[in-house]
Amino acid sequence: MSFVDSYDASLTSVEYPWPKRVTPLERIVLSTRGNLQRILSAFFARPITITSVFAQTTPRPTQKRQVHLVCAGRSVCVATSAVTITNARCAKLFLQEGYAIGQIFRKMGVVPAFELLDVGLVGDSEKSNKLWRRYTLKIEGFAADIVEVFPDREMFTRAEEWLAEPQLLSVPIEDASASCTPGLSPTETLVHPDEIPDVLVAPPTPAECVKETWADSSNGMLRFMAVFIAVMLLLNVPRDGETMPQAAGSLFARIARLLDITVHGAGEET
């Protein structure tokens, strides 16, 4: 049975085959749809801060990322996600202005389509103390496939007392080269960056693609050099009494000076 969130004029129903040991409060947290940070802030009555572990962005643009949700210096959730963007405004908010995934939806004023794919407890013991879920969030032009791990279920029963305990997990420092979460094993993070899905939505159409500037493209340097040489040619039109070879030599001499190359004669480099 898949996750069902249905309603009509007078009824709302949330249905999912929850693991038996998941508590009512945990079911509320696992059902959040892009507003986990807000719900945790209300639960702990404290701010929740997003702290990046790694972010790997490709030109499509897509991004593989991992963050900690931190409250009072303690990591309350580790979120590993793959994000695909085909909307220019979303790309600007997410990649340039640094909005987190949940804040993107609040800034855009939209409610994302939510699908809960899986829920589980780490280990088979009755005392399993780590909870996780995998889900997707989608709006037009922006889609995220997310795995979240709640490293200590006692946070949901002891709240303030739990926050006051000595910190057990390292709060990460942003490091683009990091490949795993400090203080957690691959089993606990569940998703290694190389295993994060690459494709979440259909490939973008040309109209949806985020346009890159010519200077940002892989051929930007070649285009710059072409423009540079064209300008230099215009500046070196032969003057009265000057022959074409002399003009060419002058052009090469100017380029050589810019490139810090010693020139002997017209266009000869050493």
Side-chain angles (χ1 to χ4, degrees), residues 3-15 33 111-112:
F3 183 82
V4 177
D5 184 354
S6 59
Y7 72 95
D8 59 25
S10 61
L11 178 144
T12 294
S13 177
V14 174
E15 302 175 53
R33 48 194 306 163
V111 177

Side-chain angles (χ1 to χ4, degrees), residues 79-135:
T80 308
S81 57
V83 181
T84 300
I85 312 167
T86 60
N87 176 284
R89 186 184 176 198
C90 289
K92 181 179 180 182
L93 290 173
F94 188 66
L95 300 175
Q96 297 179 24
E97 299 183 15
Y99 278 79
I101 293 173
Q103 277 87 332
I104 290 285
F105 306 125
R106 298 189 71 175
K107 186 70 174 179
M108 297 286 288
V110 296
V111 177
F114 169 74
E115 183 177 4
L116 185 61
L117 302 176
D118 205 357
V119 170
L121 301 170
V122 176
D124 298 325
S125 169
E126 289 293 328
K127 295 183 179 180
S128 293
N129 216 29
K130 295 178 178 65
L131 180 69
W132 64 271
R133 67 169 176 166
R134 181 185 177 193
Y135 63 101

Side-chain angles (χ1 to χ4, degrees), residues 39-254:
I39 296 301
L40 289 176
S41 179
F43 176 74
F44 288 111
R46 299 190 184 203
I48 304 293
T49 303
I50 299 293
T51 304
S52 176
V53 179
F54 68 80
Q56 302 169 351
T57 306
T58 63
R60 295 188 51 185
T62 61
Q63 187 180 93
K64 298 178 180 181
R65 58 191 264 124
Q66 188 175 93
V67 301
H68 278 225
L69 279 65
V70 178
C71 182
R74 295 204 63 178
S75 178
V76 297
C77 179
V78 183
T80 308
S81 57
V83 181
T84 300
I85 312 167
T86 60
N87 176 284
R89 186 184 176 198
C90 289
K92 181 179 180 182
L93 290 173
F94 188 66
L95 300 175
Q96 297 179 24
E97 299 183 15
Y99 278 79
I101 293 173
Q103 277 87 332
I104 290 285
F105 306 125
R106 298 189 71 175
K107 186 70 174 179
M108 297 286 288
V110 296
V111 177
F114 169 74
E115 183 177 4
L116 185 61
L117 302 176
D118 205 357
V119 170
L121 301 170
V122 176
D124 298 325
S125 169
E126 289 293 328
K127 295 183 179 180
S128 293
N129 216 29
K130 295 178 178 65
L131 180 69
W132 64 271
R133 67 169 176 166
R134 181 185 177 193
Y135 63 101
T136 59
L137 297 170
K138 296 181 183 181
I139 60 174
E140 184 176 355
F142 187 94
D145 189 325
I146 306 170
V147 173
E148 289 172 345
V149 180
F150 302 92
D152 190 350
R153 296 172 67 198
E154 289 190 12
M155 74 175 78
F156 299 121
T157 58
R158 297 171 54 222
E160 287 289 331
E161 182 185 356
W162 182 86
L163 284 179
E165 290 180 345
Q167 182 177 316
L168 300 178
L169 298 179
S170 303
V171 176
I173 298 174
E174 185 166 356
D175 181 0
S177 66
S179 61
C180 61
T181 307
L184 295 178
S185 71
T187 301
E188 291 167 322
T189 57
L190 294 179
V191 179
H192 187 276
D194 292 338
E195 298 171 349
I196 303 174
D198 287 319
V199 180
L200 301 176
V201 295
T205 64
E208 293 176 322
C209 289
V210 180
K211 295 182 179 179
E212 62 178 7
T213 63
W214 67 270
D216 293 332
S217 71
S218 59
N219 294 322
M221 182 57 70
L222 292 177
R223 296 177 185 178
F224 170 79
M225 291 301 298
V227 173
F228 175 79
I229 292 172
V231 171
M232 294 300 293
L233 286 172
L234 289 175
L235 293 175
N236 281 271
V237 175
R239 301 180 182 86
D240 292 340
E242 185 178 46
T243 64
M244 283 297 293
Q246 290 173 324
S250 176
L251 168 62
F252 286 118
R254 290 190 185 187

